[in-house]
Amino acid sequence: MGKQTISSLLYVVFILLFIIFPKSLEGTSLTYNVAAHERACFYAWADKPGEKVAFYFAVQSGGSFDIDYVVTDPRGKQVISGERERQGDFVFTANYVGEYSFCFANDMSTFAEKLVDFEITIENEPRAELPPSKGITPDQTSSMEESCLRLSSSLSTISRTQKYFRTRENRNFSTVKSTEHRILWFALLESMVIVAMAAIQVFTVKSFFNTTKRGHV
């Protein structure tokens, strides 16, 4: 393979990466602490009908790691919703241009705050025509594009796996902290009971001896 062919291949790969990655996703990844009885909403704008919207969330800590959520379109109608869910991963089509709202509600909790990690992504799929290059056939271009798409899919899978392990780690850490607090309070309660029982025993023995002395007098 000549130097011109190699440079042409690299040129096409760079163009494909530029087309697929920077322009295909417009996303927001956030972490928010939803207080008890709070309803928190976040918004994303769809520029044209038919865009793919990806919505992911996971409750990292707080209570039973569950929360209510609802997604509404620009007309105010619900797209997806759920109650007492620990996490979710959804993809839907934005059929209308405008602002989509993504709301979390922590109404079921009396005092527990919920730490929610979520991501909202607007996925566009532009199909640009590549400039002609010498030594590159349409079959080679199509093969390169498929390879780049597979690479993009693999990166998305890795990202989802990392988020899954992060969620598991945060939940396990929260469980460990909760268990430590329960053990501490149980130990304090047990110590108080032991002290109270010792005081009762001392008082009982003292009362017994006082009663015995009075009987002999």
Side-chain angles (χ1 to χ4, degrees):
M1 185 179 293
K3 293 183 179 179
Q4 183 178 2
T5 304
I6 295 175
S7 60
S8 300
L9 287 172
L10 293 175
Y11 175 71
V12 172
V13 169
F14 286 141
I15 291 178
L16 287 173
L17 290 174
F18 177 77
I19 292 173
I20 292 173
F21 291 104
K23 294 186 179 181
S24 61
L25 298 176
E26 296 178 2
T28 301
S29 181
L30 295 172
T31 300
Y32 186 78
N33 196 18
V34 185
H37 302 293
E38 181 185 1
R39 180 182 176 89
C41 294
F42 304 86
Y43 303 91
W45 184 273
D47 294 328
K48 58 184 179 180
E51 291 184 337
K52 298 296 182 181
V53 181
F55 174 49
Y56 165 83
F57 76 92
V59 181
Q60 304 292 334
S61 63
S64 300
F65 305 101
D66 57 354
I67 200 166
D68 300 339
Y69 67 92
V70 60
V71 179
T72 56
D73 61 15
R75 303 176 302 164
K77 292 187 176 182
Q78 292 187 7
V79 180
I80 53 176
S81 62
E83 295 181 355
R84 298 181 181 274
E85 297 287 344
R86 293 190 167 192
Q87 65 184 56
D89 192 358
F90 310 97
V91 177
F92 62 91
T93 302
N95 295 320
Y96 303 95
V97 176
E99 194 173 58
Y100 286 77
S101 65
F102 304 80
C103 297
F104 299 100
N106 193 19
D107 296 330
M108 81 288 290
S109 295
T110 306
F111 58 88
E113 298 179 344
K114 305 292 179 65
L115 184 65
V116 182
D117 182 18
F118 66 96
E119 182 177 355
I120 302 170
T121 305
I122 306 295
E123 297 181 347
N124 302 319
E125 296 181 355
R127 295 296 180 184
E129 293 183 0
L130 297 176
S133 300
K134 295 182 180 180
I136 303 297
T137 63
D139 292 338
Q140 290 176 325
T141 302
S142 177
S143 177
M144 292 177 189
E145 186 175 5
E146 291 178 1
S147 299
C148 290
L149 290 174
R150 284 196 298 269
L151 179 60
S152 176
S153 177
S154 299
L155 290 175
S156 298
T157 302
I158 293 173
S159 177
R160 295 298 187 197
T161 303
Q162 289 177 337
K163 289 179 180 178
Y164 169 76
F165 284 118
R166 178 188 175 189
T167 301
R168 287 287 301 273
E169 180 183 4
N170 290 337
R171 289 179 179 174
N172 291 337
F173 181 71
S174 179
T175 302
V176 169
K177 287 181 63 178
S178 177
T179 304
E180 289 178 349
H181 290 161
R182 292 179 182 179
I183 292 174
L184 175 62
W185 285 111
F186 181 79
L188 292 175
L189 179 61
E190 185 180 18
S191 300
M192 292 174 63
V193 170
I194 292 174
V195 172
M197 289 180 63
I200 292 173
Q201 288 176 353
V202 171
F203 177 78
T204 303
V205 173
K206 185 177 180 181
S207 300
F208 175 76
F209 281 106
N210 288 337
T211 303
T212 304
K213 289 179 180 180
R214 289 176 185 175
H216 286 290
V217 171

